[in-house]
Amino acid sequence: MNSLTLILSPEQIATLGATYASYTQSPPPHATLRLKVDGLSITAYKSGKVLFQGKGIEDFIQKNHLEQSIDATSKKALEDSTLPEGFATWSVIGSDEVGNGAYFGPLTVAAAYVSKENIATLKAMGVRDSKDMTDDQIKALVPKIKEAVPYKLLTLWPEKYNEVRQVKNLNEMKALLHNQALRLLTEKLAPETPEAYLIDQFCKPDLYYRYLKGQDLVDKKKTYFITKGESHHIAVAAASMIARCAFLDGLDSLSAEYGYELPSGAGANVDKAAATILKHGGMELLGKVAKLHFANTEKAKKLL
């Protein structure tokens, strides 16, 4: 996706202008705002239309919580994957990530293999969409999932995340982690092989494979992408719960190590916590617990 036009409210445009004040440029005729952020050009017009051009559009939209402004046509482009009939009964390796929308804590990616013989077992255990469960429920259930099915978990801690983020956008990072988790779990299963791979879709498949150019891949012919993957196969639900538990444990671990309560998410309470850390430890300390490219960093500086 090299260009995208959204309709944003005056408040949303004003928020972008305030958040990225240091990235403003002179707007063209009929425009009210022009931003240049890491190779991405953003132009807001008086009509409310906002044109995004360049690299990292999906990354920027996700980071600034603008997904709800994407129109039906653009959403369909991201949700056009289909699965074969009876897919939910197949033996599948599913993968999902957690933490990409949270300012504090790691980015975690998990892959889980659920054979057709194990599907009923996981359903009986209560494995389902982790968004419908409390954190305590997830933490209680994940050890049982880990005993029941093979899995692979990868954790990218904030300090390393910020280093990699200098040269790769968020979706590229996620693609590399998903692919690595899928490959490592496939190797672990050998000689048994899954009937398919299902990735909880975060970008279009052609873009995913573009990010992975030169990398060893799992079988592309057996790989599927779909949004809300946890509702299409229990393997993705299991992977999502494993990744969620690892993210929560990572958040707790960082809080204990550095002595600050690190809330999840990216709201106002996160800005205040970041400002406190900035005040006492500066950007060096903040970079050990937070994803610095989020808008929360600039908001925390303003709070100081």
Side-chain angles (χ1 to χ4, degrees):
M1 186 180 294
N2 295 318
S3 67
L4 179 70
T5 300
L6 300 182
I7 302 294
L8 301 184
S9 68
E11 291 76 18
Q12 287 176 306
I13 294 173
T15 297
L16 287 178
T19 302
Y20 296 94
S22 59
Y23 297 90
T24 56
Q25 296 184 342
S26 297
H30 308 295
T32 59
L33 178 70
R34 178 75 179 272
L35 303 173
K36 189 76 171 181
V37 184
D38 297 333
L40 175 61
S41 175
I42 302 155
T43 307
Y45 294 90
K46 296 176 182 178
S47 62
K49 289 185 178 180
V50 180
L51 175 63
F52 298 81
Q53 294 176 300
K55 298 179 180 179
I57 295 176
E58 294 175 23
D59 189 1
F60 185 91
I61 287 173
Q62 187 176 59
K63 180 174 68 174
N64 291 280
H65 310 292
L66 299 175
E67 297 96 330
Q68 69 276 13
S69 300
I70 301 177
D71 62 26
T73 301
S74 298
K75 283 182 179 178
K76 187 178 185 303
L78 290 173
E79 299 174 358
D80 57 5
S81 298
T82 57
L83 300 176
E85 185 176 352
F87 188 88
T89 64
W90 290 14
S91 297
V92 170
I93 291 181
S95 64
D96 199 2
E97 81 284 335
V98 174
N100 56 289
Y103 182 62
F104 290 119
L107 172 64
T108 59
V109 174
Y113 174 59
V114 181
S115 66
K116 60 182 63 177
E117 294 80 11
N118 258 341
I119 292 175
T121 300
L122 263 64
K123 286 184 177 179
M125 289 168 52
V127 176
R128 58 189 188 278
D129 186 353
S130 63
K131 299 180 185 66
D132 296 333
M133 305 178 69
T134 67
D135 291 344
D136 288 341
Q137 288 175 324
I138 292 170
K139 287 183 176 181
L141 190 52
V142 163
K144 298 177 183 179
I145 297 174
K146 289 180 175 179
E147 289 180 4
V149 300
Y151 72 94
K152 184 64 185 178
L153 172 67
L154 301 176
T155 301
L156 187 61
W157 295 96
E159 191 167 18
K160 183 64 176 179
Y161 177 103
N162 292 322
E163 178 185 333
V164 178
R165 185 60 179 74
Q166 298 300 312
V167 293
K168 299 184 185 300
N169 67 42
L170 178 56
N171 279 342
E172 185 174 5
M173 292 162 67
K174 290 195 289 185
L176 290 165
L177 289 168
H178 274 264
N179 182 59
Q180 185 180 8
L182 295 172
R183 284 196 306 103
L184 291 174
L185 183 52
T186 301
E187 293 171 5
K188 182 178 179 179
L189 287 174
E192 185 175 1
T193 59
E195 293 179 84
Y197 300 90
L198 182 60
I199 298 171
D200 193 59
Q201 187 173 340
F202 53 87
C203 68
K204 294 185 70 175
D206 59 345
L207 185 58
Y208 174 86
Y209 286 117
R210 196 184 313 162
Y211 289 143
L212 296 177
K213 186 176 181 180
Q215 300 286 320
D216 291 331
L217 305 171
V218 295
D219 191 342
K220 289 179 66 173
K221 294 180 181 178
K222 294 165 59 175
T223 302
Y224 299 86
F225 302 79
I226 200 161
T227 57
K228 300 180 180 179
E230 64 281 351
S231 65
H232 294 277
H233 200 285
I234 200 167
V236 177
S240 177
M241 292 180 67
I242 292 170
R244 177 68 182 171
C245 187
F247 166 75
L248 294 170
D249 289 345
L251 206 57
D252 291 342
S253 174
L254 290 172
S255 295
E257 181 176 356
Y258 293 102
Y260 295 92
E261 183 178 350
L262 304 175
S264 184
N269 60 330
V270 169
D271 300 337
K272 293 178 181 178
T276 300
I277 295 170
L278 268 178
K279 182 178 180 180
H280 295 102
M283 288 295 291
E284 181 178 357
L285 178 57
L286 188 60
K288 295 181 184 297
V289 298
K291 305 174 184 75
L292 296 180
H293 69 97
F294 276 44
N296 300 85
T297 300
E298 295 303 318
K299 293 178 181 178
K301 290 178 181 179
K302 291 181 180 179
L303 286 177
L304 287 179

